[in-house]
Amino acid sequence: MGKKGSKRKAQEQTAVEEVDGAQEEALRKSRATEEAEGGAPANTKGAERRRSAISVVGDETSTYLSEVMAHFQTLVEDEERQLLVANVMEEIAGKEQKAAADPVCSRHIEALLSVAQASQLTAFLSSIMDTGGLFELAVSPFGSHVAEKVLLRLESQLDGMTQEEFDAFIKVLEAMVHELGTELWKFMMDRFATHVARRVLCMLCGHDVLPPGSRGPQGGSGGGKASAGLAAKLPSKEKAAAGKQGQEGCRFPELLESLVSVLTREDYGGASMEELLGSRYASPFIQAAL
């Protein structure tokens, strides 16, 4: 490759890294804000910090990933890094979920996937769906963060995907939306899984639709009077996705309609919806889906 080609490739990579960095900072601030506004009790946070230094996967996998990361940090060329990622994904095939949810290994997986190609990211998510499902990963504080980063990385690569890569991505996205729809209540109400559900929702819309300042100041409250007002705004079953489909920039309207329509089911009405709207975890998702 000539000097001009190398320079252009470096510029493109820098642009992607800047987008990823900005998205990561927004993700970090979102979680930090939620913690400050009534997250887990202090003793729970302390327990998580203590657990973060202890790996729960087998010593063989933990040692392997630690050694890989030491080598990864010495690599400069993108091609070398992506080749290493491919080797790691092959080595941990079938164990991606456990590794990504592990307090120690998750950091290694996240760093490796930050330079992964679209096909590698899609394959990673596909294996997660095949070996236990998205929810099992998302309820882990470590796994949830890895899942978000993978989705953010995929979003930044959508325009550059080949048709084959895009088709594979759509297949995985459809499976994710199906699982979300099936277990939407659990996703929305879980402290960590809700972040993954919100990220998928934003991906379907094509832009960040999460409402600012929507988290309740304490406990599980999302803000009393606001709940009643939001409940009155919920669309009918027939109009479940009409508003979202009409928004400029909606990326995957059919999948969005499939997910949002779950909120119009009878079992999500009345007191159930009030409970969701009163939850600082579920309320942002509900508001974004309106």
Side-chain angles (χ1 to χ4, degrees), residues 71-72 74-85:
H71 178 53
F72 176 80
T74 68
L75 301 179
V76 178
E77 296 295 328
D78 290 339
E79 292 182 2
E80 292 181 321
R81 289 186 166 194
Q82 290 166 0
L83 179 59
L84 181 60
V85 170

Side-chain angles (χ1 to χ4, degrees), residues 39-40 61 66 68 110 176 189 217 226 231 285:
T61 299
S66 295
V68 163
E110 187 175 315
M176 292 174 64
M189 293 293 278
F285 183 95

Side-chain angles (χ1 to χ4, degrees), residues 7-20:
K7 183 177 181 181
R8 183 169 61 253
K9 181 178 180 181
Q11 291 174 334
E12 291 174 350
Q13 178 63 27
T14 298
V16 170
E17 290 176 351
E18 289 177 349
V19 171
D20 287 347

Side-chain angles (χ1 to χ4, degrees), residues 248-270:
E248 182 179 355
C250 181
R251 185 181 284 136
F252 303 108
E254 292 183 359
L255 290 176
L256 180 62
E257 177 180 1
S258 173
L259 182 59
V260 173
S261 64
V262 174
L263 297 174
T264 67
R265 291 191 334 214
E266 185 176 348
D267 54 328
Y268 278 85

Side-chain angles (χ1 to χ4, degrees), residues 144-156:
S144 173
H145 197 267
V146 170
E148 282 189 272
K149 291 300 295 294
V150 169
L151 291 170
L152 284 168
R153 174 76 175 167
L154 272 171
E155 281 189 271
S156 71

Side-chain angles (χ1 to χ4, degrees), residues 42-89:
N43 60 340
T44 302
K45 295 177 183 177
E48 286 178 4
R49 283 195 293 269
R50 289 193 295 273
R51 287 199 301 272
S52 66
I54 303 173
S55 176
V56 295
V57 301
D59 290 340
E60 183 179 351
T61 299
S62 179
T63 300
Y64 167 72
L65 287 174
S66 295
E67 293 175 350
V68 163
M69 279 308 302
H71 178 53
F72 176 80
Q73 292 168 356
T74 68
L75 301 179
V76 178
E77 296 295 328
D78 290 339
E79 292 182 2
E80 292 181 321
R81 289 186 166 194
Q82 290 166 0
L83 179 59
L84 181 60
V85 170
N87 292 336
V88 172
M89 291 301 102

Side-chain angles (χ1 to χ4, degrees), residues 3-276:
K3 292 184 178 180
K4 290 185 178 180
S6 299
K7 183 177 181 181
R8 183 169 61 253
K9 181 178 180 181
Q11 291 174 334
E12 291 174 350
Q13 178 63 27
T14 298
V16 170
E17 290 176 351
E18 289 177 349
V19 171
D20 287 347
Q23 290 174 327
E24 164 63 9
E25 179 64 13
L27 186 156
R28 184 192 65 77
K29 288 182 178 179
S30 174
R31 290 204 173 200
T33 300
E34 191 154 313
E35 291 288 353
E37 294 178 341
N43 60 340
T44 302
K45 295 177 183 177
E48 286 178 4
R49 283 195 293 269
R50 289 193 295 273
R51 287 199 301 272
S52 66
I54 303 173
S55 176
V56 295
V57 301
D59 290 340
E60 183 179 351
T61 299
S62 179
T63 300
Y64 167 72
L65 287 174
S66 295
E67 293 175 350
V68 163
M69 279 308 302
H71 178 53
F72 176 80
Q73 292 168 356
T74 68
L75 301 179
V76 178
E77 296 295 328
D78 290 339
E79 292 182 2
E80 292 181 321
R81 289 186 166 194
Q82 290 166 0
L83 179 59
L84 181 60
V85 170
N87 292 336
V88 172
M89 291 301 102
E90 182 177 350
E91 181 68 26
I92 66 171
K95 298 180 289 187
E96 293 92 342
Q97 183 173 306
K98 290 183 178 180
D102 183 78
V104 176
C105 294
S106 61
R107 297 196 293 269
H108 303 328
I109 296 296
E110 187 175 315
L112 291 167
L113 293 179
S114 69
V115 301
Q117 297 176 318
S119 59
Q120 295 170 328
L121 297 168
T122 300
F124 175 82
L125 288 177
S126 179
S127 181
I128 293 296
M129 300 302 296
D130 291 341
T131 58
L134 186 63
F135 184 73
E136 293 303 315
L137 179 67
V139 293
S140 159
F142 311 103
S144 173
H145 197 267
V146 170
E148 282 189 272
K149 291 300 295 294
V150 169
L151 291 170
L152 284 168
R153 174 76 175 167
L154 272 171
E155 281 189 271
S156 71
Q157 296 190 19
L158 278 174
D159 291 341
M161 287 183 183
T162 65
Q163 187 62 52
E164 182 179 358
E165 289 173 336
F166 186 75
D167 291 343
F169 163 72
I170 288 296
K171 184 177 180 179
V172 172
L173 184 60
E174 288 174 343
M176 292 174 64
V177 170
H178 175 74
E179 182 175 340
L180 272 173
T182 302
E183 304 287 355
L184 188 55
W185 181 283
K186 294 199 304 185
F187 270 96
M188 289 190 295
M189 293 293 278
D190 184 82
R191 175 186 173 193
F192 301 110
T194 187
H195 292 286
V196 177
R198 297 176 201 174
R199 178 48 48 197
V200 173
L201 181 65
C202 290
M203 176 181 280
L204 297 179
C205 292
H207 55 278
D208 190 353
V209 293
L210 296 176
S214 62
R215 299 174 182 86
Q218 59 182 331
S221 175
K225 293 182 180 179
S227 297
L230 284 170
K233 295 179 182 178
L234 285 173
S236 64
K237 185 173 183 179
E238 293 75 15
K239 298 179 180 179
K244 286 296 180 186
Q245 288 190 33
Q247 289 188 7
E248 182 179 355
C250 181
R251 185 181 284 136
F252 303 108
E254 292 183 359
L255 290 176
L256 180 62
E257 177 180 1
S258 173
L259 182 59
V260 173
S261 64
V262 174
L263 297 174
T264 67
R265 291 191 334 214
E266 185 176 348
D267 54 328
Y268 278 85
S272 295
M273 182 54 65
E274 288 297 329
E275 182 179 352
L276 289 172

